[in-house]
Amino acid sequence: MKLQRKNRLRATALGALAVSGALVLTACGSDDNSGSTGGNGGKTSAASNIKCDDAKGQLLASGSSAQKNAMDLWVKNYMAGCSGVEVNYKSSSSGEGIIAFNQGTVGFAGSDSALKPEEVAESKKMCKGGQGINLPMVGGPIAIGYHLEGVDNLTLDAPTLAKIFDTKIKKWNDPAIAKLNSGVKLPDKDIQAFHRSEDSGTTQNLGKYLGAAAPNDWKYEAEKKWPAPQGQAASGSSGVAAQVKQVDGAIGYFELSYATSQSISTVDIDTGGAAPVEATSENASKAIAAAKIKGTGKDLALELDYTTKAEGAYPIVLVTYEVVCDKGNKPETLSTVKSFLNYTAGDEGQKLLTEAGYAPIPAEINAKVRETIASLS
């Protein structure tokens, strides 16, 4: 069982690496434009099937680090297909991305949480005649990664996770953990719980899960800022993953791609269903498929079910939105924004998500995303 789990992690990591390597090779070969019509006049790149339209110049974007690994692949592929276009996505945090968007310094922002009413109101100053809207683009599991020497398989449930991240459970051999892991030799070792240091949509989504699935043990509001008074902080998903990778006894949360790429063990979640559920793209897709659109008009914000007990549905999921103006986008970047997002929401862009440890947006919702992108002005 342990060997199988390690092999799964290794295979997923190698798969993501292979995709990344293939895209790097494509980008390296993009200097030869003989097989491409370039990025003007509504033409399509023959090399990658990307419709470049009138995309040109530089497009700046920033925000969610949760989607960084997906965005890295998308940007490489898109720039290889559309010559003369530069897309620069700064991976920071959802909070920073929305601030940059509302200040008008980026063409779009990435956020793991839908815009708040006050953020929508603020966006109207920048989106002339319109407002900021949420386009769901990336789905996936929030993996609970851990580093515990000698323990390759670990199951936890929502109440136990809540107590761990609230530092109410301090030892790995605590009876609550032992009860969920019969037959596993748990060490008498301190738990080092890591969380994000900056405002993070990943933090907020974890908080939504803990608040919904363990309301008696997690009393904090689901906000982007880490709410519990203790624990250890690190910057970005990459920072939390790096600490978990290095520190024996550590536990933290980040997107699955960070776990697979660094061979970090992940927790199976006991949802109360027939069997504990592993953090995989497929299992996250089962949970995201039940999401409902709660946004109005062109806003496609989703409502997720964090308490699902459906067989094989991994409950700790997030959806990353690309935040754009429905109307009033900057004329100099509008064509590039639409072209790039058409690619990421298209079949080719969404297919890359599974290969990189994420989950595609359900087809019915994705169809509405494409329709909305086409209408941006």
Side-chain angles (χ1 to χ4, degrees):
M1 181 68 179
K2 294 178 181 178
L3 182 59
Q4 289 176 347
R5 185 178 181 87
K6 288 183 177 178
N7 286 340
R8 283 199 304 270
L9 284 169
R10 186 178 297 111
T12 308
L14 290 174
L17 183 60
V19 172
S20 179
L23 296 178
V24 171
L25 289 173
T26 303
C28 290
S30 65
D31 289 337
D32 178 7
N33 293 321
S34 59
S36 172
T37 56
N40 295 307
K43 297 179 181 179
T44 299
S45 160
S48 57
N49 248 359
I50 297 173
K51 190 175 181 182
C52 304
D53 291 320
D54 295 316
K56 59 186 177 181
Q58 185 182 59
L59 172 61
L60 300 178
S62 69
S64 163
S65 66
Q67 67 174 0
K68 177 185 184 300
N69 293 334
M71 192 62 70
D72 284 349
L73 296 178
W74 281 336
V75 168
K76 286 177 183 176
N77 209 21
Y78 181 81
M79 288 174 56
C82 295
S83 63
V85 183
E86 180 183 351
V87 180
N88 187 335
Y89 181 81
K90 179 184 177 184
S91 172
S92 51
S93 68
S94 298
E96 292 176 59
I98 291 173
I99 290 173
F101 175 76
N102 281 338
Q103 290 177 342
T105 60
V106 295
F108 70 88
S111 176
D112 307 329
S113 295
L115 293 168
K116 294 180 179 179
E118 58 268 29
E119 292 170 337
V120 173
E122 184 70 18
S123 74
K124 293 179 180 179
K125 300 176 184 178
M126 196 275 294
C127 302
K128 303 302 181 183
Q131 66 178 48
I133 58 172
N134 306 281
L135 301 179
M137 197 67 68
V138 182
I142 300 175
I144 306 299
Y146 71 97
H147 179 175
L148 195 58
E149 294 295 337
V151 179
D152 293 325
N153 294 284
L154 186 69
T155 296
L156 297 173
D157 59 12
T160 307
L161 273 174
K163 293 171 186 174
I164 287 173
F165 281 115
D166 201 18
T167 64
K168 297 294 193 296
I169 292 179
K170 301 179 183 295
K171 291 281 190 178
W172 277 111
N173 62 347
D174 187 276
I177 301 177
K179 184 178 180 180
L180 293 165
N181 294 275
S182 178
V184 177
K185 188 176 180 181
L186 297 166
D188 182 13
K189 186 175 294 181
D190 290 339
I191 296 174
Q192 308 288 333
F194 286 90
H195 60 264
R196 292 279 289 274
S197 60
E198 76 286 7
D199 286 4
S200 159
T202 311
T203 294
Q204 187 171 37
N205 279 278
L206 176 66
K208 289 178 180 178
Y209 163 72
L210 292 175
N216 294 328
D217 298 293
W218 191 257
K219 301 293 187 179
Y220 306 103
E221 291 294 323
E223 298 290 348
K224 291 177 182 176
K225 184 177 179 62
W226 181 254
Q230 300 184 57
Q232 302 182 60
S235 178
S237 292
S238 58
V240 175
Q243 290 298 319
V244 173
K245 176 77 172 178
Q246 295 169 12
V247 179
D248 186 18
I251 189 170
Y253 57 94
F254 32 79
E255 295 64 47
L256 181 62
S257 59
Y258 289 91
T260 55
S261 64
Q262 299 183 53
S263 297
I264 297 172
S265 297
T266 60
V267 171
D268 292 345
I269 301 299
D270 184 342
T271 64
V277 184
E278 185 179 353
T280 67
S281 298
E282 294 77 14
N283 291 344
S285 292
K286 293 176 184 178
I288 295 172
K292 298 178 181 178
I293 295 175
K294 66 176 181 179
T296 58
K298 293 183 179 181
D299 182 64
L300 299 178
L302 301 179
E303 183 175 353
L304 299 168
D305 180 8
Y306 296 99
T307 61
T308 179
K309 296 181 181 180
E311 184 177 356
Y314 183 82
I316 318 177
V317 294
L318 62 75
V319 169
T320 294
Y321 301 95
E322 312 312 333
V323 177
V324 295
C325 299
D326 57 356
K327 297 178 182 178
N329 289 280
K330 293 181 178 181
E332 61 269 27
T333 57
L334 176 59
S335 293
T336 308
V337 167
K338 293 176 71 171
S339 172
F340 179 70
L341 295 184
N342 265 322
Y343 162 62
T344 64
D347 292 339
E348 186 178 338
Q350 288 291 298
K351 182 181 177 182
L352 281 179
L353 293 178
T354 299
E355 296 169 341
Y358 295 94
I361 299 301
E364 182 178 346
I365 296 171
N366 187 247
K368 295 181 180 179
V369 171
R370 297 188 206 187
E371 181 181 327
T372 302
I373 291 170
S375 73
L376 299 179
S377 62

